[in-house]
Amino acid sequence: MKKRIRMGTSIILAALLAMSIPSCAPSGGTGGTQDSSSEEPLQTGQKELSDTSLPFADGDVTLSLLTFDSWYAPASYADSLPVWEEMEKRTGVKIEFQVVPYADSEAVIQTRLASGSNLPDITAVPPWTTTAGVTQYAQEDVLLCLDPYLENGAMPSTEAFLKEYPNIAAQMQSTDGSYYAVANVIALVNPVIPRAIIVRDDWLKKAGFENVEDLVTVEDWETYLRAVRDGDYNGNGKADEIPLITENVGQLLSFSSGFGFDVAPDDQSNFFYYDEDGTVSFALADDRMKDCVAWLRDLYAEGLIYNQLENNSETIWSLYLQDIVGAHCKVAVDYITRADGLLAGIDDNALHLMTTTPSESKENLCKMQMRPDVEFRFAITTACQNPDIAAKWVDYVWASKDGNILKDFGIKGLSYDEADDGTLYYTDYILKNDQNLSAHDMMRTLGGAPSFLVLDSLESWEQKQKGTSVWSEGERLSDRLTSPFPMMVLTMEENETILNLLPDFQTYYLEMITKFITGTESMDQWDAYVENLRALGLEEITAVYQAEMDRYLEFVNGE
């Protein structure tokens, strides 16, 4: 019998796995298994490996970085942004940003890495929702092993962080304990950053709801969405309101919590979920999801859901500017101030708040998964001709105190200052900017709050958000959050299963769910759809997620 789960906010596993990728060592792009037994310190030609004093180079080293672009589209890393100009000045390293819009990034970067040619020096490692890419590209000798740089002093801040947070370190280790990548770390701020649904509080009141906490059941949502569609709440005399919009069909399926799921199924775990005993199931083959999809189909037919189910962020924010969006799923809480800012001067009564996905009743409120403790991996490739400088640069940007102050607070005297007691605080340039941007987005105009090599701190988040609706809404919803599905590092056998089966499996279920909701496929085909999921590897893929959960349970239960 399995033991019940005792899950903390950021307890991550450190289980020993039976199969592993090869142990590693420094490589300069020559290929072959990397061996970490070398005792000779690497040399850059300028400094010994252990010399991490700034600058790392004299402006004569350029590193290419392949990643998705900023979360704030108008400020691209391909432009000369102040934070990264300052980073170059400090480190002496020029960065050639090779950025891709997030919506296209997984496919573009995966194709580039799979080709094995024209590789960047530093890269994001897809796919985004599993660790399969790290395991695969480490095995294929595309990713540089970081162990020698950690052991020989080239990455002191990274080494210190991994020692301080072994639960997070475990998520970045290969199955033999070696490191091939670091990850965006958001665990320290997750308890106050729910990923939920933005709603118009002023429109809720027009629809007869006293406050946002009264929007609970699917019936409540029907009432609100119909009122938005029919009420001309923007007062322009046109029936142009969009009751509900989503970035993708997967986010829309979080509404299934109103049909019996205690925790809203989450696209970030590919809709695999666990019960209180740790048994893993796939939500999109569940009859409760069938009921949800049928309900969404009715909403879509009524015009309560925007007619496009796949929308990039630029499209959605352009619709916000037209004062027509009633609800938006499923995004992080800081986007409510972006929405408010877009409507400043257009509709001064506009107020956006967050709400959870629906519950079956007000007496049985659902939970939502937190974002993963870590997400998006970043690695140095074996094609890099200056790997030791790249390691030092990654260490400084990702893990050092000064690097994180620059990323989080920006330019001293412009975006922040320092009090007599050493406390850092944001200036009015950020907090009271004339662009009506949230503090987070205003930092992004400078290149701060980046999308890559993130190590979010609660101090910075609180400084930016304390006293705003972002902070109050995050606190209000914090007790509705539960731990995410643990993202274990895969064994080679598990990795092969995921790489061979998951892409076609995902493509099929997303295509079919889209057809069901938009009415181009009869709901009578649901059972055939589930049978096809089984034929595409449902049992085998579920077994991988179950194995991850079992290893996690062994860790948290101390077995």
Side-chain angles (χ1 to χ4, degrees):
M1 179 179 294
K2 292 181 178 145
K3 296 185 179 180
R4 290 180 180 269
I5 305 176
R6 302 192 297 272
M7 303 181 77
T9 296
S10 61
I11 299 177
I12 313 297
L13 22 128
L16 294 175
L17 308 181
M19 301 182 68
S20 65
I21 63 179
S23 60
C24 64
S27 169
T30 57
T33 299
Q34 302 174 36
D35 178 2
S36 62
S37 62
S38 173
E39 297 180 0
E40 291 295 323
L42 302 179
Q43 300 285 331
T44 67
Q46 291 109 341
K47 295 181 177 181
E48 288 189 351
L49 185 62
S50 59
D51 184 355
T52 57
S53 60
L54 295 172
F56 305 137
D58 297 321
D60 55 347
V61 173
T62 298
L63 299 175
S64 55
L65 171 59
L66 176 61
T67 184
F68 38 83
D69 212 341
S70 171
W71 303 129
Y72 182 66
S76 172
Y77 301 123
D79 302 328
S80 297
L81 300 178
V83 164
W84 298 101
E85 288 181 336
E86 176 63 20
M87 197 73 77
E88 178 181 330
K89 186 186 303 182
R90 293 184 187 184
T91 63
V93 178
K94 297 178 181 179
I95 296 298
E96 175 196 325
F97 283 103
Q98 301 175 2
V99 290
V100 184
Y102 179 76
D104 305 320
S105 61
E106 188 169 71
V108 170
I109 297 175
Q110 203 150 9
T111 299
R112 181 97 169 264
L113 296 182
S115 73
S117 61
N118 191 30
L119 294 175
D121 296 308
I122 303 168
T123 186
V125 185
W128 306 144
T129 58
T130 77
T131 60
V134 173
T135 305
Q136 175 190 358
Y137 296 122
Q139 181 193 27
E140 294 175 0
D141 200 24
V142 172
L143 306 185
L144 186 70
C145 181
L146 301 179
D147 287 8
Y149 305 94
L150 291 166
E151 294 165 1
N152 292 321
M155 305 181 75
S157 298
T158 301
E159 182 184 18
F161 177 82
L162 296 176
K163 286 181 178 178
E164 183 175 359
Y165 296 97
N167 53 329
I168 294 174
Q171 287 196 101
M172 301 185 210
Q173 290 177 309
S174 70
T175 54
D176 67 347
S178 293
Y179 292 93
Y180 288 86
V182 297
N184 284 0
V185 175
I186 55 179
L188 306 181
V189 296
N190 271 347
V192 291
I193 305 184
R195 183 171 172 260
I197 304 174
I198 299 178
V199 293
R200 280 286 292 265
D201 186 58
D202 53 320
W203 288 6
L204 270 174
K205 289 180 170 58
K206 289 182 179 181
F209 292 86
E210 186 173 340
N211 59 60
V212 70
E213 293 183 346
D214 292 331
L215 187 62
V216 176
T217 65
V218 293
E219 292 78 16
D220 294 334
W221 274 97
E222 290 172 8
T223 298
Y224 172 64
L225 296 176
R226 288 180 182 132
V228 171
R229 179 193 62 190
D230 301 333
D232 189 26
Y233 285 167
N234 61 15
N236 66 359
K238 302 176 182 179
D240 57 354
E241 283 83 357
I242 298 171
L244 175 63
I245 195 167
T246 183
E247 292 185 8
N248 57 65
V249 69
Q251 294 177 356
L252 199 60
L253 297 177
S254 62
F255 276 84
S256 58
S257 57
F259 293 85
F261 288 98
D262 293 332
V263 178
D266 196 275
D267 57 318
Q268 292 185 314
S269 62
N270 292 319
F271 301 101
F272 287 91
Y273 69 97
Y274 54 88
D275 65 18
E276 63 180 4
D277 292 320
T279 300
V280 173
S281 301
F282 182 59
L284 302 195
D286 192 294
D287 284 344
R288 292 170 293 181
M289 184 61 73
K290 178 183 178 182
D291 293 339
C292 174
V293 170
W295 178 73
L296 292 169
R297 180 189 182 98
D298 291 341
L299 296 190
Y300 187 86
E302 283 191 52
L304 301 180
I305 300 173
Y306 188 54
N307 57 11
Q308 297 293 325
L309 298 185
E310 299 288 327
N311 300 284
N312 61 38
S313 59
E314 290 81 4
T315 296
I316 292 177
W317 296 121
S318 70
L319 293 170
Y320 266 95
L321 275 169
Q322 299 175 47
D323 195 17
I324 58 178
V325 177
H328 175 194
C329 70
K330 182 183 180 192
V331 293
V333 67
D334 55 294
Y335 285 102
I336 59 178
T337 46
R338 177 184 290 189
D340 286 343
L342 288 171
L343 289 177
I346 299 174
D347 186 346
D348 292 333
N349 294 316
L351 177 64
H352 295 85
L353 297 177
M354 298 297 286
T355 187
T356 64
T357 55
S359 301
E360 283 195 293
S361 70
K362 292 179 172 62
E363 294 72 37
N364 183 28
L365 297 177
C366 74
K367 297 277 190 178
M368 298 178 298
Q369 288 186 28
M370 291 184 195
R371 302 176 302 168
D373 280 2
V374 301
E375 59 179 3
F376 305 120
R377 271 68 178 174
F378 298 88
I380 302 168
T381 73
T382 52
C384 180
Q385 296 302 304
N386 294 283
D388 44 352
I389 291 180
K392 294 177 184 182
W393 188 87
V394 168
D395 179 73
Y396 183 81
V397 172
W398 183 66
S400 75
K401 178 181 178 181
D402 288 345
N404 275 291
I405 288 174
L406 180 54
K407 288 186 303 179
D408 289 347
F409 286 91
I411 308 301
K412 188 173 183 179
L414 175 64
S415 53
Y416 83 96
D417 269 315
E418 185 173 352
D420 292 340
D421 64 359
T423 301
L424 305 183
Y425 63 91
Y426 290 97
T427 64
D428 287 350
Y429 179 84
I430 296 298
L431 300 179
K432 298 180 181 180
N433 65 84
D434 59 7
Q435 299 183 46
N436 293 316
L437 294 178
S438 68
H440 222 36
D441 281 342
M442 192 61 191
M443 278 300 306
R444 287 169 175 151
T445 68
L446 302 177
S451 59
F452 62 93
L453 294 176
V454 171
L455 207 166
D456 277 342
S457 73
L458 190 58
E459 175 193 10
S460 171
W461 184 255
E462 185 172 359
Q463 283 277 357
K464 273 188 286 216
Q465 308 299 352
K466 192 78 169 179
T468 71
S469 57
V470 171
W471 185 262
S472 60
E473 290 297 274
E475 286 193 314
R476 180 176 66 83
L477 295 177
S478 61
D479 64 349
R480 298 286 298 278
L481 302 180
T482 189
S483 298
F485 196 103
M487 190 176 288
M488 295 287 289
V489 175
L490 301 176
T491 67
M492 288 302 302
E493 182 179 1
E494 292 165 352
N495 200 61
E496 183 176 356
T497 297
I498 292 299
L499 289 175
N500 289 339
L501 298 180
L502 188 61
D504 288 344
F505 182 79
Q506 285 178 314
T507 298
Y508 177 72
Y509 72 64
L510 289 173
E511 287 179 350
M512 287 300 296
I513 294 294
T514 299
K515 290 178 180 179
F516 285 136
I517 292 174
T518 57
T520 60
E521 187 70 69
S522 170
M523 290 301 299
D524 292 340
Q525 296 301 309
W526 182 269
D527 290 344
Y529 150 76
V530 173
E531 285 303 315
N532 286 336
L533 289 177
R534 293 192 178 100
L536 288 169
L538 173 59
E539 292 184 3
E540 294 90 338
I541 297 169
T542 302
V544 172
Y545 280 86
Q546 185 66 65
E548 292 183 74
M549 177 56 68
D550 289 345
R551 292 196 294 271
Y552 180 78
L553 287 176
E554 291 176 4
F555 176 75
V556 298
N557 289 326
E559 296 178 353

